[in-house]
Amino acid sequence: MELLDNLALGFSVAFLVQNVLYCFVGVLLGTAVGVLPGIGPTATVALLLPITFSFEPVTALIMLAGIYYGAQYGGSTTAILINVPGESSSAVTALDGHEMARQGRAGAALATAAVGSFIAGTVATVALAVAAPPLARVALKFGPAEYFSLVLFGLIVSIALARGTALKALAMIALGVLLGTVGQDIYTGTPRFVFGQRELYGGIDFVSVAVGMFGVAEILRNLENEQTRAAVISKVRNLWPTREDRRRIVGPILRGTGLGAALGVLPGGGHVLASFTSYALEKRISKRPQEFGRGAIEGVAGPESANNAAAQTSFIPLLTLGLPAHPVMALMVGAFIVHGITPGPNVLTDEPALFWGLIASMWIGNVLLLLLNLPLVGFWVRMLRIPYQVLFPMIILFAAIGTYSLGFNAYDVYAIAFFGILGYTLIKCGCEPAPLLLGFVLGPLLEENLRRALIISRGDASVFLTRPISAVLLALAVAALVLAVLPTIHKRREVVFAEDE
């Protein structure tokens, strides 16, 4: 009964006119950036973060969340129609989805992706509503030692799931943690790494780092590799799958939903890993494995369900523990903080309307996405014809204006340019910026809990090993680090992310 009362509170918040409106705006923008290759939800959320500061907290978070899970829907459209995944997790959908389109079955592929995504999103939202409260209550019992070990475990697991070598991912996390220490010491007020710059005494602005590293850097990379993309498919017909198709997609949708819901909580690229793992599973258990890569509808249903379920459950560690599972969730942490809310288990008790309103809005968003995607297929494909040299300068202009408007300080705009160039340089060196952002967000939390634990224990470092939960988390962190550097695991990571490159 308590769960039903909480959901009733959530829907009463989510169905407010302004929240439904901004949920619609969020999923619409998310679908658009999912369709347009090279922009992605991380860059979009980073670029739009300044605009949301004048919103009510729940409204801002509903819109930003809609952008993220909306992009998972949109990425499948171009993957199926023109073999260009708009979002990394949709890369595997292109393998069979585009083959179906070439065979004149684009409508069935698009409908399968949309229905599978809706079912997975709905089930994952229920899982989020059921799992989040008990997990939050457990997290309230965590002390500084447990939180330090938990944050460390999250950072190590993100190394194991990052693309590229484990050493580069570790270096990016270390750089992110280092950037997070810039400013005044949290206990003594002593300036650290400010180099005499007054603007750095308050630390490096999160929005400048996010917009630069993911917005500007990604734009520079795409301008370098600009390609002309044109739709190669005529009008889509027969949007509803046949009876045989419906029989074949039930199992993959259910398996993909379960797999995605479980993998979505993992730090790193859980939604990408979920879609590739689902495809591999469906191919292995299929009675017709030879059809995969040649238009097997299971190769669309499973991965699309998996990545959308993972997109929803990735909110579980954010809402219950205050830990971001990947870069978009790190940006959501920033959104919480700038609205004066500390993400973590206290959100459930201190801000129940926000907590349950955000969860309820995800179901509304999934309904809106189902209604948006299929009727507007032609519109999404025409968006691909917008020249990059027109689209990207406008994006940078609005990002600079939005960031400047936060504090009316030109230094923030210079910081965007600096981190944009730094992010582009790191990409060219084969380093993924995502672990850097996770390190930047979690670094201060790591430091604060380390020092609090040592102060409480009067400098006794064994406190991290004598407290059972902390010891277990540290053991898991060590195991994850060992797995990340093992040659066999490294090769499997390369295979998993090969399509994403």
Side-chain angles (χ1 to χ4, degrees):
M1 285 300 295
E2 183 183 357
L3 177 61
L4 294 178
D5 291 340
N6 288 329
L7 287 175
L9 170 64
F11 279 109
S12 69
V13 173
F15 274 118
L16 292 175
V17 174
Q18 71 269 23
N19 291 337
V20 173
L21 174 63
Y22 282 105
C23 182
F24 175 78
V25 171
V27 297
L28 184 67
L29 286 172
T31 304
V33 301
V35 166
L36 290 171
I39 299 179
T42 307
T44 306
V45 171
L47 294 167
L48 291 179
L49 196 57
I51 299 173
T52 65
F53 291 167
S54 61
F55 296 177
E56 287 293 319
V58 66
T59 305
L61 292 167
I62 284 173
M63 189 183 90
L64 294 175
I67 292 172
Y68 172 54
Y69 57 80
Q72 310 306 315
Y73 271 75
S76 64
T77 301
T78 46
I80 291 169
L81 294 182
I82 61 173
N83 202 27
V84 178
E87 227 288 297
S88 57
S89 55
S90 297
V92 71
T93 305
L95 299 178
D96 285 283
H98 186 61
E99 284 299 315
M100 290 181 67
R102 292 178 62 185
Q103 296 164 15
R105 303 185 63 223
L110 289 168
T112 298
V115 172
S117 297
F118 174 74
I119 294 173
T122 301
V123 172
T125 301
V126 173
L128 173 59
V130 171
L135 190 57
R137 283 192 286 271
V138 171
L140 284 171
K141 300 177 182 177
F142 278 25
E146 286 82 5
Y147 259 110
F148 169 80
S149 301
L150 181 65
V151 173
L152 185 64
F153 172 62
L155 290 173
I156 296 298
V157 172
S158 70
I159 294 174
L161 295 180
R163 295 188 296 274
T165 65
L167 182 62
K168 287 181 178 179
L170 181 61
M172 288 298 95
I173 285 178
L175 179 58
V177 172
L178 185 65
L179 290 172
T181 62
V182 172
Q184 292 178 299
D185 185 275
I186 55 176
Y187 288 107
T188 66
T190 305
R192 303 181 298 187
F193 308 115
V194 297
F195 305 107
Q197 298 296 313
R198 179 176 54 83
E199 290 86 354
L200 290 177
Y201 272 66
I204 298 174
D205 185 61
F206 170 80
V207 176
S208 298
V209 176
V211 173
M213 296 292 290
F214 287 95
V216 177
E218 194 68 18
I219 285 170
L220 292 175
R221 186 174 72 86
N222 279 283
L223 286 175
E224 182 189 54
N225 299 317
E226 183 180 353
Q227 300 176 10
T228 302
R229 298 181 173 96
V232 292
I233 187 166
S234 59
K235 185 177 179 181
V236 177
R237 296 182 177 87
N238 301 323
L239 279 175
W240 195 244
T242 63
R243 177 179 295 181
E244 173 64 14
D245 288 338
R246 294 196 295 273
R247 186 189 65 79
R248 290 175 60 177
I249 65 176
V250 171
I253 287 176
L254 296 178
R255 286 187 292 270
T257 299
L259 194 62
L263 294 177
V265 300
L266 294 177
H271 60 301
V272 180
L273 188 65
S275 62
F276 279 84
T277 305
S278 173
Y279 187 85
L281 174 65
E282 293 305 323
K283 186 175 182 179
R284 176 165 294 186
I285 66 175
S286 175
K287 296 178 181 178
R288 296 177 285 267
Q290 70 280 2
E291 291 185 13
F292 280 75
R294 296 182 173 85
I297 198 166
E298 296 92 339
V300 175
E304 279 302 301
S305 302
N307 77 53
N308 280 274
Q312 309 280 358
T313 57
S314 62
F315 283 86
I316 291 177
L318 171 71
L319 292 174
T320 58
L321 304 172
L323 296 178
H326 50 75
V328 176
M329 293 300 109
L331 294 167
M332 295 290 285
V333 169
F336 271 98
I337 292 171
V338 298
H339 284 286
I341 300 169
T342 303
N346 288 319
V347 174
L348 179 60
T349 53
D350 297 346
E351 302 281 349
L354 183 147
F355 184 93
W356 292 105
L358 179 59
I359 291 176
S361 74
M362 294 178 187
W363 186 82
I364 297 172
N366 276 286
V367 173
L368 291 172
L369 283 164
L370 188 63
L371 299 175
L372 267 177
N373 273 266
L374 295 180
L376 297 180
V377 165
F379 172 75
W380 301 127
V381 175
R382 281 194 291 273
M383 280 186 62
L384 290 163
R385 298 172 184 168
I386 301 175
Y388 277 7
Q389 59 266 32
V390 173
L391 184 66
F392 287 167
M394 293 173 60
I395 294 174
I396 291 181
L397 174 64
F398 285 117
I401 292 172
T403 306
Y404 177 76
S405 67
L406 297 181
F408 297 100
N409 190 345
Y411 181 83
D412 293 334
V413 180
Y414 299 147
I416 288 177
F418 171 78
F419 284 108
I421 294 170
L422 176 62
Y424 176 72
T425 304
L426 291 173
I427 291 171
K428 297 299 290 181
C429 294
C431 297
E432 189 182 3
L436 185 149
L437 187 65
L438 291 176
F440 180 75
V441 170
L442 295 177
L445 187 62
L446 190 75
E447 180 194 8
E448 181 182 356
N449 284 289
L450 171 64
R451 294 175 69 172
R452 283 175 59 197
L454 291 175
I455 289 171
I456 293 171
S457 66
R458 297 184 179 183
D460 184 7
S462 66
V463 67
F464 298 106
L465 299 176
T466 55
R467 296 178 68 93
I469 297 177
S470 175
V472 169
L473 290 169
L474 286 178
L476 291 173
V478 171
L481 186 59
V482 171
L483 287 173
V485 298
L486 284 177
T488 53
I489 300 297
H490 174 68
K491 288 178 182 177
R492 287 182 182 178
R493 283 164 61 238
E494 288 183 343
V495 170
V496 166
F497 291 111
E499 290 289 340
D500 189 30
E501 297 290 350

